[in-house]
Amino acid sequence: MNWINEVETPCYVIDVDKLLKNLKILRFVKEKTGCKILLAQKAYSVYQTYPLIAEYLDGCTASGLFEARLGYEEMPAGENHVFSPAYKEEDMDELLKICDHIVFNSPKQWAKFRSKVRKSPKKIEVGIRVNPEYSEIETDIYNPCFTGSRLGTTLSQFKEDLSLAEGIDGLHFHTMCEQNADVLARTLPRFEEKFGFMLNKIKWVNFGGGHHITRTDYDLELLISTICNFKSKYNLEVYLEPGEAVALNAGYLVTTVLDTMKNGCDIAITDASAACHMPDVLEMPYRPNIIGAGQPHEKPFTCRIGGNTCLAGDIIGDYSFDEKLREGDRLVFKDMAIYSICKNNTFNGIPLPSVYLLGENGEIKLLKTFGYEDFKTRL
Ligand SMILES: *Cc1c(COP(=O)(O)O)cnc(C)c1O
């Protein structure tokens, strides 16, 4: 990995080889099941790699107008889906031009925009997101089924006025997060129990994202049989829209140690920040892995790594290393392609990391750098 010392830091590096490996697994699932798989751009939207993704997947999905537009402009082929908890009147006109599938959060939202959608010269497939009120996610911030959730319509609300749902082509549920196929296999019967009465009136069901399909311990066989059984039972098209699984482990965040100090423990300050460059570390929270580092006290030198902001809690985590860290050392955080670049910010005037592409031939290519203007022009 010679490139580690060639890049300017902080930077994200997208590993095309790893991305391809994921895409091949996803294509395998498609081939075995006949389902369609879309990239959820919320997790990963390095559009410079969309041409590659388009060779393997069926298109992309968006969480609103801007992502939908990015998919329309940059994904060379395939379908362009959008879901939003609530659409704005003025966005709908543009969405109708650039999307082919629009998923509404409720029958009420669909009824509000129905005449507009029907008047569109382009054929639009319409879905409604439902909340099957079953999920196995423990972190509420990532659980669309927690009590009082605004995401998707519950059965009781759906049934309040069934006429509102008339004319839809599909149903959508998204209830998973970083989970294996067993969770889908337990979720699906709950969905069928509640919304089974709709399944002979529609053409497709979208099983959402959160399927960790490209993880090494993922049960592909169970995913494949679950989809195949569902498809043959109802004769419906099935969509999956993973974000994480597309670019899982396909990127790094490279950082330089700027200084070291002691306060009860050894501390290193880096030019990468949890708050700015990997917000999920604080939101989830979790501790990202560093290449060559271990758990605290596993290796001879234990050190706390923190970012270069003035936020006291901008701590990435505690790690151990073979040797004492020194100024100028480079650290490589793993699995940094997802929910990182698309979530980063310039809090505290901290620069945005550059983005590099590590090609199949091991060649490193700079895609983008950022500067002071990117900070200033946000204001
Ligand atoms: C976030 C999200 C996804 C992607 O989820 P991953 O966990 O990244 O696979 C898909 N669909 C919807 C509606 C989402 O909100």
Side-chain angles (χ1 to χ4, degrees), residues 124-183:
I124 307 282
E125 301 240 342
V126 170
I128 290 177
R129 176 166 176 175
V130 296
N131 175 357
E133 296 172 83
Y134 180 83
S135 71
E136 301 183 18
I137 304 171
E138 261 139 47
T139 322
D140 273 355
I141 184 176
Y142 295 115
N143 182 5
C145 300
F146 75 86
T147 314
S149 171
R150 71 192 186 294
L151 300 172
T153 302
T154 58
L155 180 63
S156 69
Q157 180 141 46
F158 199 96
K159 282 199 156 162
E160 248 172 45
D161 186 353
L162 275 177
S163 70
L164 292 180
E166 245 160 54
I168 60 169
D169 304 283
L171 286 179
H172 176 292
F173 68 86
H174 170 71
T175 60
M176 289 169 52
C177 181
E178 300 187 337
Q179 282 162 320
N180 213 315
D182 60 321
V183 178

Side-chain angles (χ1 to χ4, degrees), residues 38-44 61-63 83 129 144 151 172-174 176-179 206-212 240-246 338-339:
L38 311 167
L39 162 71
Q41 296 175 88
K42 184 181 77 192
Y44 175 85
T61 185
S63 319
F83 160 78
R129 176 166 176 175
L151 300 172
H172 176 292
F173 68 86
H174 170 71
M176 289 169 52
C177 181
E178 300 187 337
Q179 282 162 320
N206 187 323
F207 294 176
H211 314 274
H212 237 191
L240 304 180
E241 45 177 36
E244 285 218 24
V246 176
I338 46 175
Y339 293 105

